[in-house]
Amino acid sequence: MGKLPDAAKRELLAALGADHVRDDPEALVAYSYDATPLVQAMPDAVVFPGSTEEVAAVLRIASRYGIPVIPRGSGTNLSAGTVPVAGGIVLVLTRLNRILEIDEENLTATVQPGVITQHLHQTVEARGLFYPPDPGSMRIATIGGNIAECAGGLRGLKYGTTKDYVLGLEAVLMSGEVIRTGGKLVKDVAGYDLTRLLVGSEGTLAVITEATLRLLPKPEHRKVMSALFDDLYGAARAVSSIIAHRIIPCTLEFMDRATVQVVEDYARVGLPTDIAAFLLIEQDGPEAVVERDLQRIAAICEACGAREVRVAATEEEGEALRTARRAALSALARLRPTTILEDATVPRAQIAPMVERITQIAKKYDLLICTFGHAGDGNLHPTCPTDARDPDEIARVEQAFEEIFAAAIELGGTITGEHGVGAVKAPYLEWKVGAAGLEVLKGIKRAFDPQGLLNPGKIFPPDGRKRKVIHRVPHVHA
Amino acid sequence: MATSLETKEEPSLEARTARLWKHLQEALDADELENCMRCGFCQPACPTFQETGYEAASPRGRIALMKAVKDGFLVPDEAFRSQLDLCLGCRACEPACPSGVRYGRLLEQAREALAAHAPTPWPIRLARKVVFAGVFPHPRRLQRLGRLLRFYQTSGLQRVVRKSGLLRLLPAHLRDMEAVLPVPSPRGVVETIGTRIPAKGAPVATVGLFRGCVMDVLYTETNVNLARLLSEAGFEVIIPPEQTCCGALHAHTGDTALARQLARRNIAAFRRAGVDFVVLAAGGCGAMLQEYAHLLPDDEGARWMGERVRDASQLLASCGRPLPLGRVEATVTYQDSCHLRNVMGVHREVRQLLSSIPGVTFRELPEADRCCGSAGVYNLTQPEMAGRILERKMGHVARLSPDLVATGNPGCLLQMQLGLHRAGLDGAVRAMHWVDVVAEALDAAPR
């Protein structure tokens, strides 16, 4: 880390103008973090390009001077994916925020990366269309960030995640060359699928400057229900059984006992605090289908030993049930100063054993770890309310999460379902992909970015280190 | 923290900055800073972030800057000061925050420290001393000033001045302000209707009316109407004459010491009056009164006051007798007062009252929950950003084209009048305090 070379700064200023190149302490601090706890590092400069050409110019300049570039949207990711851990230029893409086209014949939307996901939702829904991915951060997260991290959300079970909706991309390579992948075609097998490769590449391969997204007709109707279980395995059986009965709800959310207790304590939504698991289930589609599915799901939950099943009779009642699940983050966030929300994923059938493992691990390290998440797709969010200022506890937290990731792998799962590897889970990637797999990934990285300048320190493990490193913030001199 | 107006023995910039840095590090609440989990959920709610798209101009960014100062790796330089100055203090970020970070407190802590070490230009210091300390806390001086303004507006002097082109010496935002300032009433609410207004019918409760300082001079009629509405709804209204300015402007600009003094005077005045509720129709003052307990943590009276403060809409909508309202044929919309909504948590009640008027079509203003840019003295200190925010607001108003825009705070009302004037809508759309709208309906009722 150092200061930007004077010549590089002059060239950036010439390319973008003085308003859109910053290297003053205020800007450097403001772009030194994302939503990931414990990680912060100062960039050397922050730039705000306004077009694909300007993005290309920045990458050409950075290539010439060997400066790392970290593409960034709103900075809401939870894997330190946008923290400039090796310094360099933070490339903020939020000025590229236009919805370029909504094609109602081909059912596509073409957007710039800085479009806020919720804004896209509102725009297409006003036309009776539907863009399903709905990450928890969607009211501020950008589409570009969603694509880079392959964000999921509450509707993943039925509708899949971001990767299932990206049809084509425009992206700038580190060399400054612009490529186009895919398009509006449903069927397209010409060569390797670079679109799929770039989705979830966490800004390490190319900078996405435009995306063509697949849209669906908006579901006519939706309705929710909740089910309370005294037994974790009963809840897990209900989840598997619903799918086995060929019903795919759009949302199938889960909260464990610890989460329910915290939520009830905070939000007073009327949940009994002695239950083992809470399920929130939502179905969308034609009204008759929704009603029939929810009735059948209620019967399945009862057969699996649910203590109470409640189908929302009115929209207000439905909202109250949704609130219970939505309050989880706030409830946990208010418990202690630091909230570490993780992202271990297991096959659906392994949810109960996984939650039990997490509970045991929490006990072993004397921590509170509450687990909630998307039961339908096995994507769990073990969450630890802690305090970054307590180094002993933080060390235990890190050990606990390491064991949790190991347990997820052991049960046939993965270290991240929707948050990305970023900097914080790079040490564990090899557990998932294997040594040979890691070499293939590295080869792909070299093909796109031979100098290794795009978002360095992300995805790939730092040499010789298997443990997460907390990056302390260095001193800035006035 | 009154700073001396003389500039003798001015310490060097480095020394001043070092002292400010130390002060900030002591003043900023470490727990509150640590509570921010940087999720960014505050950002869609923040007007300055929405206008700039710049991380540092968001609550998350400002907290990061404060934390960097606290942690010792960011010098609290001029950029830091101006970034905090750019914050409206609307606190829309607080209800949006999952972690419940009390951003307003952090902002106040930072602003108090900045004010104490301010190399503020002497005209601004002088103005603060004269206006904030010399006028607001003194109702009679404020009234005299109001009469002066009234004389200027009604004697023909205003016409002469406007013709002379003298106003061109003023910056544009002050010129606009001159154009929309209402004609002050020659007498305040107490001089107009006395200190005790009995309830109509059997009294429901006794309420102490907080008249406000600027509100009582510029919008006396609103206070008079407020007392009428309360009395009509069954409240006995007492207006303790010893009450003073709430101190919000002082606290928000860093003069916490004077804010505390004013708080103590108000607490004493209302406790002596022995009222069930302290009621007002000014969101900014209401939030301040409610937070006296934070300003005076060990003061039992501050807690007493905090528990009893109600916005008038809360009392009229829930515990008073229903008002006999006549027809007002109008399409009405409503601009929230930030502090009323974000701090006092009142937003349904005013809408309910307005919608309950026969003949009124209530239509929700898009982004009504977003600050109008008035924000205390923000529209004077940050005219550019305030102007951008107001322009966006007026865009929404123009598209909705209501007959009138109601507000719940005098500052917002003045700002709406300013916005309508700038947008060339002052003939087409009226801006009114909701109290006056409801009072109009009361007058329209057949007797």
Side-chain angles (χ1 to χ4, degrees):
Chain A
M1 256 208 350
K3 251 182 82 172
L4 212 57
D6 288 340
K9 186 174 168 183
R10 270 199 303 278
E11 287 179 38
L12 286 171
L13 285 168
L16 270 64
D19 284 350
H20 301 124
V21 179
R22 302 276 302 256
D23 64 349
D24 53 303
E26 173 188 282
L28 301 187
V29 167
Y31 292 91
S32 64
Y33 56 83
D34 54 28
T36 318
L38 310 177
V39 192
Q40 187 170 15
M42 302 289 279
D44 302 314
V46 187
V47 300
F48 304 84
S51 65
T52 303
E53 292 70 41
E54 289 187 358
V55 172
V58 171
L59 295 190
R60 271 196 305 272
I61 295 164
S63 282
R64 205 170 317 127
Y65 292 94
I67 305 166
V69 174
I70 301 88
R72 184 186 189 276
S74 295
T76 56
N77 81 86
L78 292 161
S79 60
T82 49
V83 177
V85 292
I89 299 169
V90 170
L91 181 79
V92 183
L93 292 153
T94 49
R95 281 180 69 214
L96 295 169
N97 60 0
R98 281 181 306 138
I99 295 176
L100 301 169
E101 182 199 51
I102 294 175
D103 180 342
E104 299 196 17
E105 283 180 32
N106 287 304
L107 285 186
T108 61
T110 301
V111 301
Q112 292 188 311
V115 170
I116 303 294
T117 308
Q118 179 147 304
H119 179 213
L120 177 68
H121 278 234
Q122 287 162 347
T123 307
V124 302
E125 283 173 26
R127 301 196 190 195
L129 296 170
F130 185 46
Y131 176 72
D134 60 344
S137 56
M138 70 174 183
R139 55 183 144 157
I140 187 65
T142 61
I143 284 289
N146 289 178
I147 294 171
E149 301 292 326
C150 191
L154 266 62
R155 298 193 278 240
L157 169 61
K158 180 171 179 175
Y159 291 103
T161 61
T162 303
K163 67 177 184 298
D164 301 302
Y165 295 89
V166 182
L167 293 172
L169 292 171
E170 178 194 83
V172 186
L173 303 177
M174 196 59 211
S175 61
E177 286 163 293
V178 178
I179 59 166
R180 281 195 165 270
T181 74
K184 288 183 182 177
L185 306 170
V186 173
K187 298 178 178 175
D188 180 355
V189 290
Y192 295 142
D193 189 346
L194 294 182
T195 310
R196 281 278 176 129
L197 189 56
L198 291 181
V199 176
S201 65
E202 304 189 25
T204 62
L205 299 182
V207 179
I208 293 161
T209 47
E210 194 182 300
T212 299
L213 306 170
R214 189 160 74 93
L215 302 176
L216 299 178
K218 190 179 164 196
E220 296 158 29
H221 189 76
R222 60 186 197 133
K223 203 168 181 182
V224 298
M225 59 176 282
S226 66
L228 312 180
F229 290 85
D230 291 319
D231 165 29
L232 191 60
Y233 280 87
R237 266 200 318 279
V239 171
S240 306
S241 182
I242 291 164
I243 314 285
H245 279 80
R246 309 288 181 265
I247 307 170
I248 311 288
C250 71
T251 296
L252 214 176
E253 294 289 301
F254 163 85
M255 293 197 290
D256 73 350
R257 184 196 305 272
T259 312
V260 168
Q261 284 168 352
V262 175
V263 165
E264 190 48 37
D265 203 38
Y266 160 71
R268 310 264 172 225
V269 279
L271 297 175
T273 48
D274 59 339
I275 52 172
F278 166 91
L279 292 182
L280 177 83
I281 303 154
E282 179 161 339
Q283 182 61 304
D284 64 6
E287 189 169 353
V289 175
V290 171
E291 295 295 337
R292 187 199 63 197
D293 281 357
L294 287 192
Q295 292 313 318
R296 287 166 62 194
I297 292 169
I300 293 167
C301 289
E302 270 156 14
C304 293
R307 179 204 290 191
E308 188 199 311
V309 174
R310 193 155 23 129
V311 178
T314 61
E315 184 46 37
E316 291 79 65
E317 207 180 303
E319 228 1 73
L321 293 178
R322 284 189 200 104
T323 303
R325 164 62 179 84
R326 248 186 257 131
L329 179 60
S330 294
L332 292 169
R334 286 168 198 229
L335 228 45
R336 303 274 306 273
T338 311
T339 309
I340 303 183
L341 195 161
E342 268 303 350
D343 182 30
T345 300
V346 290
R348 204 156 33 223
Q350 301 295 342
I351 287 172
M354 185 65 201
V355 172
E356 280 202 340
R357 289 284 285 274
I358 294 169
T359 310
Q360 283 159 12
I361 293 167
K363 209 168 182 183
K364 174 176 166 191
Y365 289 101
D366 189 22
L367 298 166
L368 174 64
I369 300 182
C370 300
T371 302
F372 61 94
H374 319 299
D377 44 38
N379 182 199
L380 297 175
H381 294 307
T383 300
C384 182
T386 176
D387 190 337
R389 293 165 296 182
D390 181 344
D392 294 339
E393 181 167 319
I394 292 298
R396 294 204 306 280
V397 171
E398 297 201 331
Q399 282 166 2
F401 275 117
E402 189 167 308
E403 279 193 32
I404 287 171
F405 299 138
I409 298 277
E410 215 181 286
L411 294 171
T414 184
I415 56 171
T416 167
E418 56 181 8
H419 292 175
V421 176
V424 294
K425 278 190 273 194
Y428 315 118
L429 181 62
E430 200 176 333
W431 295 355
K432 169 67 180 164
V433 301
L438 196 57
E439 276 315 302
V440 174
L441 296 188
K442 284 181 176 167
I444 294 170
K445 167 75 175 166
R446 274 193 296 275
F448 276 87
D449 174 21
Q451 290 175 273
L453 293 175
L454 257 180
N455 209 2
K458 313 300 161 64
I459 297 185
F460 300 103
D463 292 328
R465 272 211 297 257
K466 294 278 182 200
R467 300 250 323 113
K468 182 152 74 179
V469 178
I470 298 173
H471 295 267
R472 298 307 308 182
V473 183
H475 229 77
V476 183
H477 301 284
Chain B
M1 297 306 129
T3 12
S4 148
L5 293 175
E6 283 96 295
T7 44
K8 273 183 274 171
E9 293 177 75
E10 189 74 0
S12 70
L13 178 64
E14 286 75 25
R16 263 205 332 259
T17 306
R19 280 197 337 226
L20 166 63
W21 203 346
K22 190 158 172 285
H23 189 159
L24 277 165
Q25 289 179 328
E26 284 161 8
L28 288 166
D29 184 332
D31 289 327
E32 213 63 78
L33 289 170
E34 201 63 50
N35 276 336
C36 170
M37 60 175 179
R38 306 190 295 213
C39 61
F41 286 12
C42 54
Q43 293 184 329
C46 175
T48 55
F49 178 75
Q50 289 303 308
E51 286 300 323
T52 61
Y54 178 47
E55 177 74 29
S58 77
R60 176 172 74 163
R62 292 186 180 112
I63 289 173
L65 296 179
M66 289 189 250
K67 189 167 186 312
V69 166
K70 175 108 184 165
D71 291 348
F73 65 91
L74 181 68
V75 180
D77 55 4
E78 221 15 66
F80 177 76
R81 173 189 300 278
S82 48
Q83 196 51 261
L84 290 184
D85 282 348
L86 191 68
C87 173
L88 293 146
C90 71
R91 294 169 65 176
C93 48
E94 290 188 17
C97 175
S99 302
V101 175
R102 288 172 294 191
Y103 172 83
R105 296 203 180 166
L106 289 170
L107 182 69
E108 217 165 86
Q109 288 160 359
R111 283 190 173 164
E112 186 182 359
L114 287 164
H117 301 267
T120 315
W122 73 264
I124 292 187
R125 259 186 292 158
L126 181 68
R128 278 209 187 129
K129 205 166 177 133
V130 170
V131 180
F132 282 20
V135 179
F136 286 170
H138 306 283
R140 244 173 264 127
R141 291 186 201 166
L142 199 59
Q143 275 180 17
R144 232 172 285 146
L145 210 64
R147 277 198 290 273
L148 211 62
L149 176 63
R150 187 185 165 84
F151 174 76
Y152 166 76
Q153 288 164 323
T154 54
S155 64
L157 186 60
Q158 185 170 42
R159 242 173 312 139
V160 175
V161 170
R162 281 185 186 170
K163 246 195 203 138
S164 73
L166 262 176
L167 288 176
R168 261 174 304 189
L169 294 175
L170 289 177
H173 64 280
L174 291 182
R175 235 171 13 220
D176 288 344
M177 197 62 95
E178 189 273 345
V180 302
L181 267 180
V183 181
S185 153
R187 298 184 308 165
V189 64
V190 170
E191 292 80 3
T192 312
I193 55 172
T195 56
R196 185 177 285 264
I197 300 91
K200 290 264 172 76
V204 178
T206 305
V207 298
L209 192 149
F210 185 83
R211 64 186 167 193
C213 52
V214 176
M215 170 114 173
D216 200 44
V217 172
L218 288 186
Y219 299 105
T220 315
E221 194 55 30
T222 306
N223 271 341
V224 172
N225 281 335
L226 176 58
R228 274 207 301 144
L229 293 182
L230 288 166
S231 152
E232 190 72 41
F235 297 100
E236 165 151 28
V237 182
I238 294 174
I239 315 176
E242 328 82 82
Q243 60 175 301
T244 181
C245 168
C246 68
L249 292 179
H250 309 83
H252 298 161
T253 48
D255 192 351
T256 322
L258 184 49
R260 286 202 182 98
Q261 269 182 36
L262 297 174
R264 288 205 186 90
R265 275 168 59 187
N266 282 323
I267 293 166
F270 282 92
R271 280 195 103 172
R272 252 198 313 276
V275 294
D276 300 317
F277 298 107
V278 175
V279 65
L280 74 178
C285 310
M288 186 66 198
L289 299 185
Q290 209 170 56
E291 295 202 321
Y292 274 177
H294 157 60
L295 196 66
L296 302 165
D298 301 320
D299 192 314
E300 204 257 313
R303 256 200 320 282
W304 179 91
M305 187 98 162
E307 285 161 7
R308 277 162 187 77
V309 173
R310 297 287 185 281
D311 188 70
S313 62
Q314 291 176 288
L315 290 187
L316 293 175
S318 61
C319 56
R321 279 194 288 274
L323 298 164
L325 300 179
R327 281 189 91 73
V328 175
E329 297 288 345
T331 304
V332 177
T333 192
Y334 173 66
Q335 163 64 36
D336 279 293
S337 142
C338 294
H339 284 194
L340 185 55
R341 184 183 181 107
N342 302 324
V343 184
M344 296 184 77
V346 176
H347 51 98
R348 271 186 229 100
E349 293 84 342
V350 181
R351 289 173 168 84
Q352 249 174 46
L353 282 167
L354 290 169
S355 309
S356 72
I357 301 173
V360 160
T361 309
F362 184 83
R363 293 182 65 194
E364 186 63 27
L365 182 69
E367 298 187 344
D369 59 349
R370 176 134 332 148
C371 181
C372 63
S374 166
V377 289
Y378 190 89
N379 55 1
L380 300 179
T381 57
Q382 300 283 335
E384 200 224 318
M385 181 58 78
R388 277 164 71 176
I389 291 169
L390 185 56
E391 204 174 305
R392 178 179 171 129
K393 183 80 45 199
M394 286 305 129
H396 290 311
V397 172
R399 274 186 292 278
L400 198 68
S401 71
D403 298 312
L404 69 90
V405 184
T407 69
N409 184 57
C412 314
L413 178 53
L414 197 54
Q415 181 81 343
M416 286 301 108
Q417 283 160 342
L418 181 69
L420 293 172
H421 172 72
R422 277 191 199 158
L425 291 168
D426 19 25
V429 185
R430 283 192 298 164
M432 284 174 81
H433 197 292
W434 65 262
V435 164
D436 298 324
V437 183
V438 178
E440 221 175 272
L442 191 67
D443 292 337
R447 300 260 157 176

